[in-house]
Amino acid sequence: MTDQPRYDGGLVAPGIDTTRPSVARVYDYALGGKDNYESDRELYRQIMEIAPETPVWARANRRWLSQVITWLADEAGVLHFIDAGSGLPTAENTHQIAQKVSPDASVVYIDNDPSVVAHGRALLLDNDRTQFTAADLTRPDEVLADPAVAGLLADGQPVALVMALMLHHIHDYEQTLAIAGQYVDALPPGSYLAITHACNPGDGGPVDQLVTELLAKVKDAFPTLAFRSVAQISSLFHGLEILEPGVVRLADWHVPGGRVEDDPQPGIRDAIYGGVARKS
Ligand SMILES: C[S@@+](CC[C@H](N)C(=O)[O-])C[C@H]1O[C@@H](n2cnc3c(N)ncnc32)[C@H](O)[C@@H]1O
């Protein structure tokens, strides 16, 4: 029997295909969320056979997000945030993290997964400094013309553009570079770009072997997924000042001026790199 969990006490929201895994919902399941279906859970079980540390890197990525948003709101004084490829609402979302520091912080979330759109809009209805835009991030012209995005960029104040675990869903590297560049060009001076991205060191070592096996497993479900080299990920920050500690494994990342938090669990999260950069 097809698993058909209910949405908002009613039917599954329109446009949501529960028969095929969605990256947002598989990730939600990895984080312990409830907004997923049997097709998502089945793929997740297959991923876990290859990479049992998957929930560890998913949580490490959310912790990175929390540290970055807190630092940007607090130390860098940023009041405008764009969370591009936001995913399903989870325990601590960008607006909650930012508004804990600065109640005036504004956040625009962007995603094109119908499950995210439905849940994101529902969650954010009660927060007047938060908006949700349903858009395909591979179409920067359309995204930048969206009233919520254009409105946030219009007053010329620094904006933090967060693309966490999103850009590796654009398969072609040159296209990814061009898209990231177009968004950066639209940011006012003093803005920030924060990225996490799947990485393959390409050295034939254990992480290389692991991600190669993982890609083969998920290629039917997520055909555009691309693990990239550290050099390629670093180039996404082209023209920006990359802050310390640079573009590094999530395990080695810390806020500028801070230090690495002890986290004894190595694994697949060694294949996730993150970095933050400033536009002059
Ligand atoms: C793995 S989730 C990451 C969620 C969140 N950023 C995080 O790091 O916790 C990737 C998200 O990117 C979204 N995404 C991927 N490609 C996209 C595109 N072309 N346009 C908009 N959203 C996209 C997916 O729908 C999904 O919600």
Side-chain angles (χ1 to χ4, degrees):
M1 196 178 93
T2 313
D3 189 356
Q4 291 277 304
R6 309 231 141 198
Y7 166 68
D8 271 359
L11 297 171
V12 172
I16 296 178
D17 181 355
T18 63
T19 64
R20 294 179 55 80
S22 112
V23 71
R25 299 192 313 243
V26 173
Y27 181 66
D28 172 73
Y29 191 51
L31 287 170
K34 296 193 182 73
D35 300 319
N36 46 72
Y37 301 88
E38 183 50 30
S39 58
D40 308 308
R41 296 189 282 268
E42 173 54 27
L43 182 62
Y44 179 77
R45 286 190 283 272
Q46 293 176 24
I47 292 171
M48 285 293 279
E49 282 171 19
I50 298 168
E53 311 87 357
T54 295
V56 177
W57 70 251
R59 284 197 298 272
N61 184 65
R62 290 308 296 187
R63 191 172 58 174
W64 172 89
L65 183 77
S66 177
Q67 288 176 301
V68 168
I69 300 295
T70 302
W71 184 84
L72 287 167
D74 197 2
E75 301 291 328
V78 174
L79 281 170
H80 294 344
F81 295 82
I82 299 175
D83 188 339
S86 55
L88 281 153
T90 179
E92 271 214 302
N93 303 291
T94 296
H95 73 285
Q96 289 151 333
I97 302 163
Q99 290 173 357
K100 210 186 293 176
V101 179
S102 298
D104 287 345
S106 303
V107 178
V108 176
Y109 291 98
I110 305 171
D111 209 291
N112 67 347
D113 183 305
S115 298
V116 179
V117 175
H119 287 270
R121 286 215 169 110
L123 176 84
L124 305 171
L125 277 179
D126 62 351
N127 189 298
D128 62 3
R129 302 199 69 81
T130 302
Q131 299 180 76
F132 192 97
T133 292
D136 181 351
L137 287 155
T138 64
R139 298 167 172 265
D141 288 335
E142 290 171 21
V143 171
L144 292 168
D146 174 85
V149 176
L152 201 74
L153 294 167
D155 71 3
Q157 296 301 306
V159 173
L161 172 62
V162 182
M163 304 183 101
L165 301 183
M166 185 271 139
L167 287 169
H168 54 223
H169 291 294
I170 307 170
H171 192 71
D172 183 83
Y173 180 60
E174 293 304 320
Q175 188 193 4
T176 312
L177 266 180
I179 287 169
Q182 194 171 341
Y183 286 121
V184 167
D185 285 349
L187 297 176
S191 292
Y192 291 83
L193 175 66
I195 291 174
T196 53
H197 196 296
C199 178
N200 184 347
D203 56 4
V207 176
D208 184 340
Q209 289 172 24
L210 182 66
V211 300
T212 302
E213 200 184 339
L214 196 61
L215 260 184
K217 178 64 75 182
V218 303
K219 74 174 182 341
D220 289 341
F222 309 141
T224 63
L225 181 61
F227 284 69
R228 300 197 165 102
S229 68
V230 183
Q232 286 177 319
I233 299 168
S234 301
S235 293
L236 296 170
F237 294 100
H238 176 73
L240 305 178
E241 174 203 353
I242 299 178
L243 306 183
E244 65 163 303
V247 178
V248 296
R249 298 179 317 157
L250 286 190
D252 297 329
W253 197 86
H254 59 75
V255 296
R259 61 180 183 82
V260 177
E261 284 183 20
D262 288 341
D263 185 345
Q265 292 179 278
I268 180 88
R269 53 104 187 243
D270 291 340
I272 309 292
Y273 274 60
V276 179
R278 185 175 184 277
K279 179 174 178 176
S280 343

